């Protein structure tokens, strides 16, 4: 399967994300609250762009099965945004005032440029890593998620079956729409590299 080959080929970047100080701090619960607050603000901005990329992909789909899958994934992002709005309310974040940092902007620009100007297969390749990576991180961090963990809700969301199913839906789309081309491989790896940079940007803030 294409999605399996791409994930295995880029597992080095996924592991670097898991080992990143931001993610390790999130997992241990020792991440300063201010850093988590900055991350949530940036991630909410990112998810809004991710939603637009899904919508563009849906508009370009000429297959009923793909259209249904993109519709379901859009619903999943809307649920994820609800979590971020709840965090924003709790942490006093005005999501309308969020200014993307350079790492967030580079990632969202890449996603939207890909969704506008490339094939559906490349778009799926650019969007799949986010879904699979967060499911991977959630599962890896869950064993250390003790009662009273400050980021328990975040970890449980991304380790949960519902998010896992959405990641599998995205991978199934990639398998249907994509091909093992240099462009698809490059889009997948660049997206994972953007995720790694995204964590660095949140840690810096």
């Amino acid at each position: 399967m294409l999605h399996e080959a791409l994930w295995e080929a880029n597992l080095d970047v996924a592991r670097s994300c898991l080992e990143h100080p931001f993610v390790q701090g999130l997992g241990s619960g020792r991440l300063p609250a201010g850093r988590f607050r900055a991350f949530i603000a940036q991630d909410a901005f990112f998810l809004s762009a991710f939603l637009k990329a899904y919508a563009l992909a849906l508009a370009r789909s000429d297959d009923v099965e793909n259209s249904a899958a993109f519709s379901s994934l859009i619903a999943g992002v809307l649920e994820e945004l609800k979590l971020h709005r709840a965090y924003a309310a709790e942490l006093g974040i005005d999501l309308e005032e969020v200014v993307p940092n350079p790492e967030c902007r580079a990632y969202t620009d890449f996603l939207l440029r890909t969704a506008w100007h490339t094939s559906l297969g490349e778009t799926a390749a650019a969007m799949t890593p986010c879904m699979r990576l967060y499911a991977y991180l959630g599962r890896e961090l869950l064993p250390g998620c003790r009662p009273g963990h400050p980021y328990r809700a975040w970890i449980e969301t991304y380790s949960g079956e519902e998010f896992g199913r959405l990641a599998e839906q995205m991978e199934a789309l990639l398998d249907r729409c994509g091909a093992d081309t240099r462009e698809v491989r490059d889009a997948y790896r660049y997206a994972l590299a953007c995720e790694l940079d995204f964590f660095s940007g949140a840690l810096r803030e």
Side-chain angles (χ1 to χ4, degrees):
M1 294 288 231
L2 178 60
H3 79 270
E4 292 173 339
L6 290 172
W7 177 251
E8 289 298 323
N10 294 283
L11 198 52
D12 59 322
V13 187
R15 286 175 175 151
S16 293
C17 289
L18 177 61
E19 293 163 6
H20 193 282
F22 179 89
V23 176
Q24 288 296 302
L26 191 63
S28 68
R30 297 190 182 96
L31 182 73
R35 296 284 170 83
F36 184 70
R37 183 181 186 278
F39 170 75
I40 290 297
Q42 294 296 313
D43 204 35
F45 184 94
F46 168 81
L47 284 173
S48 295
F50 204 69
L51 181 63
K52 291 174 186 175
Y54 269 146
L56 287 167
L58 174 60
R60 298 178 64 191
S61 297
D62 54 6
D63 176 275
V64 172
E65 188 176 6
N66 290 346
S67 297
F70 277 120
S71 296
S72 176
L73 288 161
I74 286 171
V77 175
L78 290 172
E79 286 301 311
E80 198 175 347
L81 278 167
K82 285 183 183 178
L83 173 67
H84 284 67
R85 290 192 191 99
Y87 272 131
E90 179 183 335
L91 300 171
I93 303 169
D94 184 350
L95 294 179
E96 299 301 319
E97 298 296 324
V98 174
V99 176
N101 63 29
E103 293 83 2
C104 181
R105 176 61 77 184
Y107 197 179
T108 57
D109 284 354
F110 160 68
L111 284 176
L112 293 173
R113 184 172 63 250
T114 301
W116 271 111
H117 299 296
T118 71
S119 68
L120 205 57
E122 283 179 62
T123 300
M127 300 185 75
T128 299
C130 175
M131 304 293 291
R132 176 46 58 202
L133 178 68
Y134 273 60
Y136 166 73
L137 296 178
R139 287 198 308 271
E140 291 293 318
L141 298 179
L142 185 62
C145 193
R146 63 191 181 280
H149 192 293
Y151 307 121
R152 186 181 185 90
W154 191 95
I155 293 170
E156 288 182 340
T157 293
Y158 293 109
S159 64
E161 291 183 7
E162 184 176 350
F163 191 81
R165 282 194 296 270
L166 290 171
E168 289 170 0
Q169 276 188 292
M170 191 68 242
E171 289 172 332
L173 267 170
L174 174 59
D175 289 339
R176 285 199 302 272
C177 301
D180 189 8
T181 64
R182 181 180 60 80
E183 292 79 9
V184 163
R185 291 193 298 271
D186 287 351
Y188 193 102
R189 189 166 184 87
Y190 185 75
L192 268 180
C194 285
E195 291 287 351
L196 188 60
D197 290 344
F198 194 91
F199 293 132
S200 293
L203 192 60
R204 186 186 66 249
E205 293 200 9

